C-alpha cells in the first residue's frame, strides 16, 4: 500500500497536461558489470537525474540534450534496457519542444532495441513505457485511435510485469483518448474508476496530488462542479496533513475552477452568481499566495489574482501587486514556466487600458523571447513574440506589430503548432485590415479559419498552458472573417459562398464548445438534391450591422442584404420583446403582429418578391424556408414572423437547422412509423424542480395510440431512463415522443428532460438512445419534446435544443420553446400525428398544416393565438 501511494505522483502527476516523464525502473544486466561499465552507468544515471530536474523546471531542450548523452553512454556500454529508457524520456522532452520527427525517431529506436531484450517482466515494463510515449506522440499528431490502442497495449504489459500502479496513469491517458474519439461513456467510466481507487487510499501527500490532477482533468472536460468537489477533497487532505506545498497547489487550481464557473455564469447572464464565484476565486488565489512554498506556484496565483482584479475593474488594488510580480518574475529561473508567466503578465497589463502607462511590457516580453531562444523553446518563443505583436497592435504601431506577429507565425508553422498559428494569422488579419488591406486580411483570416476547422475536436482543450475563452478567442475569428467577406465592395459570388461556409462552421464550433467535445459529425449536403423546393436563410449578427444571406434553389444561387446600423443589442431587444409577448396569452394580436413585423422586415422583406417568384427546375415554387439562425434569433419561432397581412407560416413551411452539414438527407418512411411514447402527469422529479403537473399527458399519449398503429407507451412510474433503454434496444422505434418537463440552456448541465425520478441530462442522451448497433442502423427519425422550454434570459438557450437533437442521434426534433397550456398541447400533438400519417407529406408540412389548423380555429378557445401554435419548432431534417 505504501509503495502504491509513493508512486501515484510519478504515474499521474502531469501525465495529461505536461506529458510528464515516467519513472525509470531498475533494470539489471544479465552479466555483472565491470568497474568501467559501473562508472559509465553512474555517469549516465546522473545525467538522467539532472535531466529530470531540467524537465520539471520547463527547460526541455537542456533535458533532451542530457538524455541524448545518457543514451549514447548506455549504447557504448551495451546497456540496451537503460538506453531504451533514456530514449523514451528524450522523446517526451522533444515532444514538449514540438520536435515531432526527432521524438518519433527516438521512439522507433527504442522499439528496435526491444528486439534485443529477453521477454520477461522488465521487458514488459520497458515496452509499456515506449508505448506510453508513443501514445502521447500519436495523440499530439491527431492519431487518436492509434494512441488509444497504444495505451491499451501498455496497460496489458504493465499488468504482465506486475506493476499495477502505473495502470492508473495509463487509464487516465485512455480516458483522454476516448473523450477525443467521442466515446464519452467509456471515458467517464474510466475516470470514475480512477477516482474510486484514489478515494480508497489512506490520506497522504500523494493522494492529495492524485486528486489534484484528477480535479484538473475534470475542469478541462468541462465538468466544473465535479472538478471543484475533487479539488476540495485534495485541499482538505493537504490541510489535515499540514502540507503547505500541496495546499497552495490545490488552492491555485480550485481558484481556476471557481473562475471557470464564474465565466460560465457570466455567459448565462447570471451576474450575481458570476460575481460570487469571482470572489471565491480571489479568496482561493489569495490563500494560495500566502501558503505557497514554491515561487512558481506563488507567481501563478498572483498572476491569476491580478487577472481577476482587472476583470472586476478593481484597478486600485493592482498597483502593489504589479510591483511584487515584477520583482518575483526576475527571481524565477529561466524556463518555460518563467516565459509563460511573463506572457500572461503582459496580457493582463494590456487589458488595463492605456499601454503608455506600462512601457515595461516590452521589456517583460523581450526578456521572455531571449529566454526562449536560450532554451531553444520555439513554442514559448512564438507566444512571447506574438504577444509583443499584440502590444504594438494596441499601440497602433502597425510596422512593429506585423514584424513580430509574422516572426511568431513562422515559428509556430515551423513546429506544426496550428493552435498557436491561428492566433497569429488572426492577428495579422486584424493588422492588415487596420491598414485597409482587406484582400490580404481575408487571406490571413481564411488561414486562421482553416486551422480552427482542422482543430475542431481539440477546440475545448487547446493550449492548456495559456487558457482562453471560446467567445473571446475563437468565435471572433469566424465573425470578423464574415464581416470582411460581406463588405459591399467584397461581397462577390465567391465571397458569399465562403461566408456561408464560415457560418456553417461556426454553428458546428458552437455546438462543440457547448458539449466540450466534437460530437457533431459534419457531412457535405447538397440542399438542392435534398429539397429543390427549399430556400435557406442565414441571418448573421455583426457588431455594427445585420447581414442576411439567402440560398435559393440552384447551384450557389445566393443573395445578400445588409442592414446597416442595426446592432446586436437592438436585435436582442427586439427578440426579447417578441418572446415575452408570445409567452403571455393576454398579449394582443396587434402587438404581436407589430413586433413580429419588425423581424420580418429585417430577415424576409428584402427577398420577399424573389421568394414568391423563384421556381425550381421542376417549375414549382419554394415551399419551405429553412433558417440557420444566429445569436438570440435562435430562441424565436420564425413561423410567427408577420408581413403585415399574414404570418410566415401561412406562406411557407418553416424549419430550423443548426447547420446543413448535420443533416441526414433521408425522408421519414411513413409506412414504417413506430412510436415509443413516454410521459408523466405529476412526477416526483417535477416537485424536486419546483414544476407543476401536466394534466393532459394521458390524453396526449392516448391520442398517439389512436393515430399510430405500431406504438408502445411508458407512463408515470414506468417512465424511467432504464425502461426507455430496454424498449429502444428491443424495438427499432423511429419516433420517440416525450411528454414531460425539460429545459434548454446554453449550459449543458442545465439542459435536461425529466423522467419519473430524475433529470436526464443532454450529455446522457447518447448513452440512453444509442446503446447498440441496432440503433445506429435504425436511428430515431423524430424526437418530440412536447412540454419543454428555453431558459429565460439565456439568448443562446436554443443551443441546448440543438444539442439534445444531436446527442439523441435524431434526424429531426420537434420541441416547444416555451410551456403552453397542456390541453392545447395534447390537441396539437394529436393533430400533428394525423397529418404525419398522410402520404407524400414532409415532417415540416405536417407541422405547418397543424399550425394552420390552429390558426383557423374559432376564437372562443383562443387556440388561434400564436401563444398556442408558434411555440413548436422543427429542428433538423424537415423532409
Amino acid at each position: 500500500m505504501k509503495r502504491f501511494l509513493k508512486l501515484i505522483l510519478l504515474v499521474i502527476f502531469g501525465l495529461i497536461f505536461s506529458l510528464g516523464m515516467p519513472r525509470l525502473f531498475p533494470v539489471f544486466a544479465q552479466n555483472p558489470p565491470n568497474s568501467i561499465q559501473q562508472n559509465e552507468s553512474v555517469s549516465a544515471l546522473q545525467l538522467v537525474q539532472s535531466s529530470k530536474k531540467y524537465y520539471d523546471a520547463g527547460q526541455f531542450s537542456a533535458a533532451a540534450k542530457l538524455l541524448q548523452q545518457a543514451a549514447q553512454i548506455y549504447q557504448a556500454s551495451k546497456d540496451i534496457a537503460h538506453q531504451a529508457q533514456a530514449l523514451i524520456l528524450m522523446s517526451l522532452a522533444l515532444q514538449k519542444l514540438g520536435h515531432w520527427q526527432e521524438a518519433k525517431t527516438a521512439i522507433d529506436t527504442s522499439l528496435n532495441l526491444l528486439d534485443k531484450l529477453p521477454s520477461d517482466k522488465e521487458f514488459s515494463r520497458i515496452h509499456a513505457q515506449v508505448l506510453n510515449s508513443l501514445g502521447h506522440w500519436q495523440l499530439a499528431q491527431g492519431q487518436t485511435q492509434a494512441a488509444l490502442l497504444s495505451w491499451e497495449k501498455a496497460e496489458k504489459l504493465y499488468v504482465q510485469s506486475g506493476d499495477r500502479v502505473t495502470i492508473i496513469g495509463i487509464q487516465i491517458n485512455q480516458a483522454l483518448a476516448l473523450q477525443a474519439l467521442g466515446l464519452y461513456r467509456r471515458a467517464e467510466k474510466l475516470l470514475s474508476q480512477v477516482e474510486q481507487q484514489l478515494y480508497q487510499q489512506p490520506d497522504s501527500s500523494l493522494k492529495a496530488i492524485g486528486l489534484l490532477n484528477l480535479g484538473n482533468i475534470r475542469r478541462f472536460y468541462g465538468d466544473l462542479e465535479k472538478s471543484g468537489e475533487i479539488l476540495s477533497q485534495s485541499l482538505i487532505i493537504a490541510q489535515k496533513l499540514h502540507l503547505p506545498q500541496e495546499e497552495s497547489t490545490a488552492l491555485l487550481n480550485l481558484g481556476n475552477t471557481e473562475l471557470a464557473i464564474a465565466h460560465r455564469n457570466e455567459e448565462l447572464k447570471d451576474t450575481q452568481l458570476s460575481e460570487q464565484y469571482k470572489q471565491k476565486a480571489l479568496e482561493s488565489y489569495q490563500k494560495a499566495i500566502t501558503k505557497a512554498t514554491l515561487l512558481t506556484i506563488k507567481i501563478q496565483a498572483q498572476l491569476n489574482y491580478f487577472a481577476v482584479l482587472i476583470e472586476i475593474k478593481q484597478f486600485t488594488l493592482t498597483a502593489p501587486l504589479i510591483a511584487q510580480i515584477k520583482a518575483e518574475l526576475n527571481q524565477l529561473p529561466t524556463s518555460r514556466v518563467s516565459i509563460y508567466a511573463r506572457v500572461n503578465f503582459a496580457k493582463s497589463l494590456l487589458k488595463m487600458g492605456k499601454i503608455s502607462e506600462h512601457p515595461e511590457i516590452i521589456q517583460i516580453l523581450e526578456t521572455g523571447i531571449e529566454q526562449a531562444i536560450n532554451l531553444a523553446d520555439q513554442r514559448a518563443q512564438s507566444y512571447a513574440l506574438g504577444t509583443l505583436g499584440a502590444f504594438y497592435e494596441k499601440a497602433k504601431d502597425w510596422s512593429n506589430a506585423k514584424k513580430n506577429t509574422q516572426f511568431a507565425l513562422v515559428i509556430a508553422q515551423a513546429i506544426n503548432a496550428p493552435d498557436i498559428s491561428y492566433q497569429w494569422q488572426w492577428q495579422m488579419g486584424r493588422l492588415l485590415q487596420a491598414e485597409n488591406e482587406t484582400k490580404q486580411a481575408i487571406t490571413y483570416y481564411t488561414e486562421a479559419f482553416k486551422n480552427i476547422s482542422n482543430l475542431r475536436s481539440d477546440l475545448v482543450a487547446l493550449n492548456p498552458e495559456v487558457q482562453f475563452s471560446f467567445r473571446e478567442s475563437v468565435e471572433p475569428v469566424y465573425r470578423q472573417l464574415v464581416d470582411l467577406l460581406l463588405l459591399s465592395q467584397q461581397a462577390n459570388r465567391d465571397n458569399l459562398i465562403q461566408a456561408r461556409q464560415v457560418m456553417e462552421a461556426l454553428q458546428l464550433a458552437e455546438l462543440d464548445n457547448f458539449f466540450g467535445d466534437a460530437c457533431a459529425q459534419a457531412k457535405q449536403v447538397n440542399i438542392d438534391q435534398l429539397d429543390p423546393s427549399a430556400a435557406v436563410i442565414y441571418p448573421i449578427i455583426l457588431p455594427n450591422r445585420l447581414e442576411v444571406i439567402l440560398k435559393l434553389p440552384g447551384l450557389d444561387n445566393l443573395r445578400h442584404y445588409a442592414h446597416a446600423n442595426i446592432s446586436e443589442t437592438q436585435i436582442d431587444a427586439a427578440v426579447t420583446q417578441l418572446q415575452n409577448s408570445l409567452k403571455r396569452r393576454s398579449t394582443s394580436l396587434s402587438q404581436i403582429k407589430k413586433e413580429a413585423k419588425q423581424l420580418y422586415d429585417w430577415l424576409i422583406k428584402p427577398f420577399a418578391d424573389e421568394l414568391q417568384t423563384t421556381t425550381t427546375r421542376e417549375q414549382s415554387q419554394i415551399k419551405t424556408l429553412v433558417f440557420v439562425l444566429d445569436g438570440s434569433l435562435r430562441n424565436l419561432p420564425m413561423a410567427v414572423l408577420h408581413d403585415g397581412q399574414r404570418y410566415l407560416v401561412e406562406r411557407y413551411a418553416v424549419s430550423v437547422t443548426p447547420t446543413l452539414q448535420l443533416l441526414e438527407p433521408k425522408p421519414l418512411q411513413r409506412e414504417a412509423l413506430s412510436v415509443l411514447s413516454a410521459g408523466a402527469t405529476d412526477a416526483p422529479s417535477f416537485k424536486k424542480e419546483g414544476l407543476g403537473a401536466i394534466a393532459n399527458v394521458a390524453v396526449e399519449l392516448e391520442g398517439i395510440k389512436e393515430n399510430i398503429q405500431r406504438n408502445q407507451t411508458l407512463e408515470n412510474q414506468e417512465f424511467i431512463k432504464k425502461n426507455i433503454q430496454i424498449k429502444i434496444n428491443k424495438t427499432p422505434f423511429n419516433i420517440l415522443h416525450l411528454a414531460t418537463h425539460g429545459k434548454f440552456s446554453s449550459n449543458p448541465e442545465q439542459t435536461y428532460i425529466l423522467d419519473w425520478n430524475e433529470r436526464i441530462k443532454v450529455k446522457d442522451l447518447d448513452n440512453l438512445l444509442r446503446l447498440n448497433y441496432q440503433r445506429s442502423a435504425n436511428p430515431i427519425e423524430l424526437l418530440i419534446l412536447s412540454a419543454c422550454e428555453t431558459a429565460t434570459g439565456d439568448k443562446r438557450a436554443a443551443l441546448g435544443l440543438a444539442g439534445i437533437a444531436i446527442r439523441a442521434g435524431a434526424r429531426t426534433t420537434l420541441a416547444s420553446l416555451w410551456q403552453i397550456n397542456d390541453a392545447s398541447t395534447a390537441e396539437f400533438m394529436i393533430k400533428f400525428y394525423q397529418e404525419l400519417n398522410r402520404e407524400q407529406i414532409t415532417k415540416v408540412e405536417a407541422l405547418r398544416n397543424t399550425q394552420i389548423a390552429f390558426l383557423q380555429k374559432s376564437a372562443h378557445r383562443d387556440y388561434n393565438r400564436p401563444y398556442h401554435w408558434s411555440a413548436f419548432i422543427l429542428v433538423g431534417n424537415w423532409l
Side-chain angles (χ1 to χ4, degrees):
M1 187 70 70
K2 192 179 227 180
R3 179 177 179 272
F4 177 90
L5 288 171
K6 190 172 182 180
L7 293 173
I8 286 178
L9 170 61
L10 292 171
V11 297
I12 295 182
F13 187 63
L15 270 175
I16 301 301
F17 307 123
S18 66
L19 300 178
M21 298 174 76
R23 58 194 172 99
L24 270 177
F25 295 98
V27 180
F28 301 99
Q30 288 183 302
N31 298 313
N34 58 38
S35 58
I36 295 175
Q37 287 177 319
Q38 282 183 326
N39 290 336
E40 289 175 340
S41 296
V42 170
S43 173
L45 183 58
Q46 288 171 343
L47 288 170
V48 172
Q49 290 170 340
S50 297
S51 75
K52 183 72 165 70
K53 293 177 183 177
Y54 281 119
Y55 187 96
D56 290 342
Q59 299 178 2
F60 306 114
S61 181
K65 287 176 182 176
L66 291 179
L67 288 164
Q68 185 177 33
Q69 293 174 30
Q72 289 169 348
I73 292 171
Y74 286 132
Q75 182 182 17
S77 61
K78 297 184 179 179
D79 188 343
I80 296 172
H82 276 122
Q83 181 189 353
Q85 289 183 310
L87 288 168
I88 296 165
L89 300 180
M90 186 174 79
S91 172
L92 289 171
L94 290 168
Q95 288 181 46
K96 292 294 285 186
L97 291 166
H99 297 168
W100 301 111
Q101 189 52 55
E102 296 95 321
K104 183 61 164 56
T105 300
I107 293 168
D108 291 341
T109 305
S110 296
L111 287 169
N112 291 333
L113 289 170
L114 290 177
D115 293 336
K116 302 175 183 178
L117 291 176
S119 183
D120 56 15
K121 285 187 176 182
E122 300 305 337
F123 168 85
S124 296
R125 278 199 184 99
I126 300 169
H127 193 185
Q129 289 173 8
V130 177
L131 290 173
N132 184 23
S133 180
L134 176 61
H136 286 302
W137 185 90
Q138 290 166 328
L139 190 71
Q141 298 302 305
Q143 300 172 19
T144 312
Q145 186 66 54
L148 178 61
L149 291 173
S150 293
W151 283 326
E152 286 175 344
K153 290 176 184 176
E155 181 180 357
K156 291 176 183 177
L157 287 165
Y158 278 130
V159 171
Q160 291 173 17
S161 70
D163 180 16
R164 303 193 67 84
V165 177
T166 314
I167 292 172
I168 290 180
I170 292 294
Q171 287 174 334
I172 290 178
N173 292 346
Q174 289 176 36
L176 181 68
L178 289 167
Q179 180 84 1
L181 288 168
L183 303 172
Y184 314 111
R185 186 159 57 110
R186 286 176 60 189
E188 173 60 30
K189 185 177 179 181
L190 265 178
L191 287 176
S192 297
Q193 182 179 327
V194 169
E195 185 179 341
Q196 290 306 311
Q197 288 175 356
L198 285 169
Y199 277 132
Q200 288 167 10
Q201 306 311 313
D203 292 346
S204 71
S205 64
L206 298 170
K207 178 179 178 180
I209 292 168
L211 290 170
L212 168 75
N213 283 276
L214 193 58
N216 285 338
I217 292 166
R218 291 292 191 182
R219 182 173 69 253
F220 272 69
Y221 280 1
D223 192 349
L224 301 181
E225 282 72 21
K226 190 69 175 176
S227 170
E229 177 188 320
I230 295 171
L231 290 169
S232 294
Q233 288 300 312
S234 175
L235 176 61
I236 288 168
I237 294 169
Q239 291 172 332
K240 175 183 172 183
L241 300 179
H242 305 290
L243 304 167
Q245 182 175 323
E246 286 80 358
E247 184 179 352
S248 62
T249 307
L251 284 163
L252 169 63
N253 287 281
L254 184 59
N256 292 343
T257 294
E258 289 163 342
L259 187 59
I261 295 173
H263 289 157
R264 185 182 67 191
N265 283 292
E266 197 168 41
E267 283 190 13
L268 298 175
K269 303 301 180 186
D270 191 335
T271 306
Q272 184 177 352
L273 206 54
S274 176
E275 290 176 355
Q276 180 183 329
Y277 272 96
K278 283 181 183 178
Q279 287 301 320
K280 283 186 175 183
L282 284 172
E283 291 169 12
S284 294
Y285 292 143
Q286 184 64 60
K287 290 175 184 176
I289 293 166
T290 304
K291 289 285 182 182
T293 55
L294 291 177
L295 184 57
T296 52
I297 296 297
K298 184 178 181 181
I299 287 181
Q300 285 180 59
Q302 287 172 328
L303 287 168
N304 292 359
Y305 185 78
F306 179 49
V308 178
L309 287 178
I310 294 170
E311 273 192 42
I312 61 176
K313 300 188 177 355
Q314 293 291 326
F315 299 118
T316 55
L317 301 177
T318 60
L321 193 57
I322 289 173
Q324 192 175 2
I325 293 172
K326 283 182 191 175
E328 290 178 348
L329 274 177
N330 292 326
Q331 296 176 32
L332 278 178
T334 299
S335 67
R336 178 176 282 188
V337 172
S338 167
I339 299 162
Y340 283 157
R342 290 175 179 278
V343 170
N344 285 337
F345 187 38
K347 284 186 171 182
S348 291
L349 289 171
L350 282 171
K351 293 178 181 177
M352 288 193 69
K354 295 180 180 178
I355 57 172
S356 58
E357 297 173 5
H358 299 286
E360 70 275 19
I361 293 175
I362 296 176
Q363 183 57 52
I364 290 167
L365 291 170
E366 286 182 342
T367 301
I369 294 166
E370 185 181 343
Q371 289 183 353
I373 293 170
N374 291 336
L375 291 173
D377 192 333
Q378 291 177 292
R379 190 176 180 90
Q381 185 183 355
S382 180
Y383 272 127
L385 277 165
T387 307
L388 185 58
F391 169 85
Y392 285 118
E393 178 187 14
K394 191 165 185 180
K396 296 185 174 15
D397 182 346
W398 310 126
S399 176
N400 274 319
K402 286 193 292 185
K403 181 178 70 174
N404 284 283
T405 305
Q406 188 64 47
F407 284 161
L409 176 57
V410 168
I411 292 170
Q413 290 174 326
I415 61 172
N416 190 26
D419 57 313
I420 309 177
S421 297
Y422 96 85
Q423 297 179 59
W424 310 143
Q425 287 160 338
W426 174 28
Q427 192 159 290
M428 279 295 292
R430 297 195 306 269
L431 294 168
L432 289 162
Q433 177 60 14
E435 295 185 311
N436 294 317
E437 297 287 348
T438 306
K439 191 171 182 180
Q440 283 183 276
I442 288 174
T443 300
Y444 276 98
Y445 265 103
T446 300
E447 290 306 308
F449 162 69
K450 288 177 181 177
N451 268 327
I452 291 178
S453 298
N454 292 334
L455 286 164
R456 265 193 65 215
S457 62
D458 302 318
L459 270 178
V460 295
L462 279 179
N463 186 12
E465 299 102 337
V466 183
Q467 283 293 294
F468 60 75
S469 157
F470 178 85
R471 302 281 172 236
E472 292 177 355
S473 301
V474 178
E475 184 175 348
V477 178
Y478 295 87
R479 294 198 182 278
Q480 290 167 17
L481 174 54
V482 169
D483 192 350
L484 290 177
L485 290 167
L486 297 182
L487 289 173
S488 57
Q489 66 271 28
Q490 299 292 327
N492 54 39
R493 176 179 172 275
D494 290 342
N495 283 9
L496 287 176
I497 293 170
Q498 186 179 353
R500 179 186 174 211
Q501 292 170 343
V502 172
M503 289 308 296
E504 290 265 353
L506 174 57
Q507 300 281 348
L508 288 171
E510 284 194 295
L511 287 166
D512 290 344
N513 188 64
F514 170 78
F515 283 116
D517 54 58
C519 67
Q521 298 304 311
K523 303 179 182 68
Q524 292 299 321
V525 174
N526 185 326
I527 180 66
D528 303 314
Q529 292 179 0
L530 183 67
D531 185 356
S533 64
V536 188
I537 299 171
Y538 298 82
I540 303 167
I541 301 172
L542 298 172
N544 61 346
R545 68 189 192 277
L546 172 66
E547 297 270 2
V548 187
I549 294 177
L550 170 68
K551 167 66 177 71
L552 293 166
L555 182 64
D556 295 328
N557 191 4
L558 300 172
R559 304 291 185 273
H560 159 244
Y561 190 87
H563 294 276
N565 302 318
I566 296 179
S567 68
E568 183 175 4
T569 303
Q570 287 175 277
I571 295 167
D572 290 346
V575 168
T576 301
Q577 189 173 7
L578 180 54
Q579 271 183 312
N580 292 337
S581 296
L582 290 169
K583 291 179 182 179
R584 291 192 300 265
R585 291 178 73 173
S586 59
T587 308
S588 69
L589 286 176
S590 60
Q591 181 179 334
I592 288 174
K593 290 175 181 178
K594 179 182 176 182
E595 293 168 1
K597 187 175 186 302
Q598 173 67 83
L599 288 153
Y600 176 91
D601 289 347
W602 286 344
L603 303 182
I604 306 297
K605 187 177 179 180
F607 314 108
D609 292 342
E610 195 162 10
L611 286 170
Q612 288 291 315
T613 58
T614 296
T615 57
T616 68
R617 292 184 298 272
E618 291 77 16
Q619 300 301 307
S620 61
Q621 285 192 327
I622 290 170
K623 297 178 180 178
T624 302
L625 298 185
V626 180
F627 288 86
V628 180
L629 294 170
D630 190 22
S632 60
L633 291 169
R634 286 179 286 211
N635 288 352
L636 268 186
M638 293 293 106
V640 83
L641 300 188
H642 201 275
D643 64 4
Q645 301 295 321
R646 289 190 285 181
Y647 292 107
L648 193 62
V649 74
E650 295 182 83
R651 294 186 184 273
Y652 307 99
V654 179
S655 182
V656 175
T657 182
T659 164
L660 291 178
Q661 294 181 42
L662 294 181
L663 291 179
E664 287 278 356
K666 296 177 183 177
L668 181 64
Q669 300 299 313
R670 295 300 189 286
E671 67 277 7
L673 290 185
S674 175
V675 181
L676 172 62
S677 57
T681 300
D682 194 13
S685 62
F686 296 0
K687 293 182 174 65
K688 287 180 193 175
E689 303 287 345
L691 298 168
I694 311 174
N696 284 275
V697 163
V699 176
E700 187 173 327
L701 298 182
E702 187 60 35
I704 295 170
K705 290 180 187 178
E706 291 174 2
N707 285 282
I708 304 296
Q709 185 175 0
R710 297 171 59 202
N711 69 79
Q712 293 187 41
T713 304
L714 296 170
E715 192 169 357
N716 292 328
Q717 290 91 335
E718 292 182 345
F719 173 33
I720 59 174
K721 184 162 57 174
K722 181 180 177 182
N723 288 342
I724 296 174
Q725 289 178 331
I726 291 170
K727 291 282 188 183
I728 282 179
N729 272 324
K730 289 176 70 174
T731 307
F733 299 102
N734 54 13
I735 301 177
L736 175 63
H737 184 115
L738 301 177
T740 181
H741 286 296
K743 183 174 284 189
F744 312 126
S745 165
S746 59
N747 176 5
E749 292 300 312
Q750 295 299 320
T751 298
Y752 58 86
I753 52 180
L754 297 176
D755 71 3
W756 181 255
N757 294 320
E758 62 186 350
R759 290 182 179 186
I760 302 175
K761 293 183 180 179
V762 61
K763 285 193 173 183
D764 297 328
L765 277 173
D766 59 339
N767 300 335
L768 175 64
L769 304 178
R770 291 188 281 185
L771 289 175
N772 58 22
Y773 176 76
Q774 185 183 53
R775 267 269 63 85
S776 61
N778 300 280
I780 293 170
E781 301 270 359
L782 178 59
L783 171 66
I784 299 178
L785 304 169
S786 70
C788 296
E789 63 178 334
T790 53
T792 303
D794 181 359
K795 71 177 185 179
R796 297 179 186 268
L799 271 176
L801 171 54
I804 280 181
I806 291 164
R807 208 66 167 206
R811 288 183 176 147
T812 313
T813 298
L814 176 64
S816 56
L817 290 174
W818 59 85
Q819 288 190 37
I820 60 177
N821 176 284
D822 67 294
S824 69
T825 297
E827 190 170 328
F828 190 97
M829 287 300 164
I830 291 167
K831 175 62 176 172
F832 175 73
Y833 277 105
Q834 290 170 354
E835 292 294 328
L836 201 62
N837 262 328
R838 293 171 55 191
E839 292 183 4
Q840 295 183 333
I841 188 172
T842 64
K843 286 172 280 191
V844 73
E845 285 171 337
L847 173 61
R848 176 177 184 260
N849 291 347
T850 304
Q851 291 174 319
I852 295 294
F854 264 56
L855 263 170
Q856 295 171 349
K857 284 184 179 291
S858 61
H860 76 275
R861 293 186 67 184
D862 84 348
Y863 281 8
N864 62 341
R865 301 181 68 82
Y867 166 81
H868 292 284
W869 58 261
S870 71
F872 297 98
I873 66 169
L874 198 75
V875 181
N877 186 331
W878 58 92
L879 295 180

